[in-house]
Amino acid sequence: MSARRGIFVAPFDELADPRVLARLAASAEEQGFDGFFLWDHVNYRPPTSALADPWVAMSAIATATERMLIGPLVTPLSRRRVHKLARETVTLDLLSGGRLVFGVGLGSDNNGELEPFGEVVDPRERAKLLDDGLERLVCYWDGEFEPRPVQQPRIPVWVAARWPNKRPIRRAARWDGLFPIDQDEPEQLAEMVAYVNEQRSDDTRPFEIVVDNPPGTDPAPWAAAGATWCLTGFGATPREAEVRAAIEAGPG
């Protein structure tokens, strides 16, 4: 088994310039990577001080690349206005020629980006806003707004989850992919994959299992455990030189 390979970076500090991100993404595409994904935050804890808006940055990346998938991993939908997000996602899907993946999750207030800005903090309420928001988003994509996305029947939705919390995994099973947060071992991933497969009512449509690991990680055990995407991630303090070195090393 093999998995597609991607780069996963926080657009923080050294990578807070969208021009830098666009150049890195173009290099990654040249080296044969299949995707380039960004963290989505409006604030973050020290030592991070500078953050780029991932949606503006993804627009720069879309124009600098031709083949790779792009997307946020992940957007906390509870702090977004869904009608505005519908316009943004479709516009970016059009700009990229149908290469957008929409990663979503509950988010958290660990980094001071919910309560200080008047956003919903209660996890149950955020979960409801996430589910309701996704349903509304699909309605906008399905023709309530024009233009419609390039991708049909809709833009793929990947949902974040932490094991052993099963409710987010059941949510992911209703959509197009699972992005496990803080997975520790391939064996743990295999348990998540088995559970999500049990929950899927339609196993004929494509479904992605997306993991991220540090540079140099052997993707083979993760692919054997069920991962269809293995991303190279750099944590909350990415260094441009480190990212560039991983890109130049190629997807392997």
Side-chain angles (χ1 to χ4, degrees):
M1 297 178 64
S2 62
R4 300 174 78 180
R5 302 300 306 279
I7 297 294
F8 179 40
V9 296
F12 298 168
D13 293 329
E14 289 187 18
L15 302 185
D17 186 336
R19 296 168 296 183
V20 171
L21 292 167
R23 289 194 291 267
L24 289 171
S27 296
E29 185 168 82
E30 290 174 1
Q31 290 295 329
F33 285 91
D34 302 298
F36 199 96
F37 304 94
L38 300 181
W39 295 27
D40 186 349
H41 291 272
V42 296
N43 195 33
Y44 209 78
R45 58 186 179 273
T48 296
S49 58
L51 289 78
D53 180 89
W55 293 87
V56 175
M58 284 188 291
S59 294
I61 291 167
T63 60
T65 57
E66 297 180 352
R67 175 186 56 81
M68 289 194 307
L69 298 189
I70 61 175
L73 293 176
V74 293
T75 292
L77 196 53
S78 66
R79 64 170 170 81
R80 301 300 305 274
R81 302 182 72 178
V82 177
H83 55 282
K84 180 68 166 61
L85 185 63
R87 293 298 192 196
E88 291 169 342
T89 50
V90 172
T91 300
L92 188 52
D93 196 52
L94 292 169
L95 179 64
S96 65
R99 293 185 286 128
L100 177 65
V101 171
F102 184 47
V104 297
L106 288 187
S108 75
D109 206 27
N110 294 340
N111 304 299
E113 56 186 338
L114 295 178
E115 186 174 17
F117 299 104
E119 306 290 356
V120 173
V121 175
D122 179 71
R124 290 182 181 273
E125 189 173 350
R126 279 187 282 123
K128 185 176 187 307
L129 288 170
L130 172 55
D131 290 330
D132 292 348
L134 284 172
E135 294 298 335
R136 284 300 305 141
L137 194 60
V138 168
C139 291
Y140 288 126
W141 289 344
D142 202 32
E144 284 193 21
F145 278 176
E146 293 288 347
R148 297 178 67 179
V150 172
Q151 299 181 85
Q152 292 297 320
R154 56 176 165 75
I155 295 167
V157 175
W158 295 352
V159 180
R162 279 186 171 88
W163 188 255
N165 188 352
K166 295 181 177 179
R167 183 171 294 179
I169 299 177
R170 291 196 294 270
R171 176 182 295 112
R174 300 195 297 268
W175 297 94
D176 310 295
L178 170 67
F179 179 52
I181 303 294
D182 298 331
Q183 78 284 345
D184 295 321
E185 300 292 341
E187 292 77 12
Q188 183 185 77
L189 178 69
E191 292 179 23
M192 299 179 73
V193 171
Y195 184 75
V196 76
N197 286 340
E198 290 175 3
Q199 304 303 310
R200 293 182 61 211
S201 59
D202 179 5
D203 59 6
T204 62
R205 60 183 172 85
F207 191 86
E208 307 292 349
I209 305 292
V210 187
V211 299
D212 75 284
N213 286 295
T217 299
D218 181 3
W222 297 93
T228 62
W229 278 85
C230 289
L231 310 184
T232 300
F234 305 88
T237 55
R239 298 289 181 260
E240 182 180 353
E242 180 187 22
V243 177
R244 192 168 295 283
I247 290 172
E248 291 174 354

